[in-house]
Amino acid sequence: MRGKWYASSAEVPRSFYPGLPRWCVFLSDQVFKRFVEIGRVAFVAFGPHEGKLVTIVDVIDQNRALVDGPCTGVRRQAMPFKCMQLTDYVIKIPHSARQKFVRRAWEKAEISKKWTESSWAKKIEARQKRAKMNDFDRFKVMKAKKMRNRIIKREVKKLQKAASTTAKKA
């Protein structure tokens, strides 16, 4: 049943979920995988601490959380969820843990190392590197791409020629 999608709720057989109405058949499949929770590591997308990682230490209300970034230079403060992007990393800390405890858990989980190895961090770094390029650097990249494409095209032609000669012989 999990892989089967139906065009309308009327097509769903009642025998699969006898006690449920037809409209809530697929509610059991989780859409989200990252939830706001104590110990969730988040990336600050904008604001004064843009580009740094923080840990959610406490949830203040539905719009803000108390965050702490002991290893990234972010002091404990209230931060809106709008400027945070949740990562896959969670550290085990109790509710409203002290900064010393958060730092110890951060270092034990090696969050900084995992973050630098992630594709998300590599994309951000590549974007920053591309933004810092000057005109001559862009020119060198263009020439390198042209050379690479020329080599690839030459190799493809060789393979096509070899394939066509073997097809003629057979």
Side-chain angles (χ1 to χ4, degrees), residues 24-76:
C24 63
V25 169
F26 292 106
L27 289 181
S28 63
D29 292 343
Q30 281 192 343
V31 178
F32 301 107
K33 293 180 177 33
R34 299 174 186 159
F35 299 103
V36 174
E37 58 185 313
I38 308 294
R40 173 70 66 178
V41 178
F43 175 75
V44 181
F46 60 89
H49 300 291
E50 181 179 348
K52 295 183 179 178
L53 292 179
V54 294
T55 304
I56 297 174
V57 178
D58 198 359
V59 177
I60 298 171
D61 58 23
Q62 66 182 10
N63 297 319
R64 299 176 302 152
L66 185 68
V67 298
D68 194 3
C71 297
T72 57
V74 180
R75 296 184 62 165
R76 185 170 290 215

Side-chain angles (χ1 to χ4, degrees), residues 85-162:
Q85 296 173 351
L86 302 177
T87 64
D88 289 333
Y89 311 120
V90 181
I91 57 176
K92 288 288 262 186
I93 57 170
H95 175 73
S96 297
R98 294 175 62 196
Q99 184 178 12
K100 181 177 162 183
F101 192 82
V102 175
R103 177 187 297 276
R104 201 176 307 138
W106 183 288
E107 290 168 352
K108 184 180 178 187
E110 298 178 336
I111 298 297
S112 299
K113 181 182 172 209
K114 289 178 184 175
W115 174 253
T116 54
E117 293 172 355
S118 71
S119 61
W120 188 353
K122 288 176 184 175
K123 284 178 190 175
I124 292 169
E125 186 180 337
R127 193 178 308 133
Q128 290 171 347
K129 192 183 288 185
R130 209 174 302 121
K132 290 179 183 175
M133 289 173 68
N134 60 22
D135 189 44
F136 185 59
D137 292 334
R138 286 189 289 274
F139 174 76
K140 288 191 290 188
V141 168
M142 179 195 70
K143 294 301 269 184
K145 282 182 180 179
K146 279 185 175 181
M147 184 60 85
R148 181 196 63 197
N149 290 337
R150 193 175 296 138
I151 292 169
I152 290 171
K153 189 184 245 185
R154 191 178 310 134
E155 292 300 318
V156 167
K157 292 272 188 189
K158 283 182 187 175
L159 291 172
Q160 285 176 342
K161 191 173 184 178

Side-chain angles (χ1 to χ4, degrees), residues 1-2 12-22 24-26 28-29:
M1 176 65 190
R2 184 161 166 66
V12 179
R14 291 294 275 181
S15 60
F16 284 121
Y17 302 96
L20 293 174
R22 287 196 167 115
C24 63
V25 169
F26 292 106
S28 63
D29 292 343

Side-chain angles (χ1 to χ4, degrees), residues 4-12 26:
K4 179 91 169 128
W5 280 95
Y6 294 97
S8 68
S9 61
E11 295 178 19
V12 179
F26 292 106

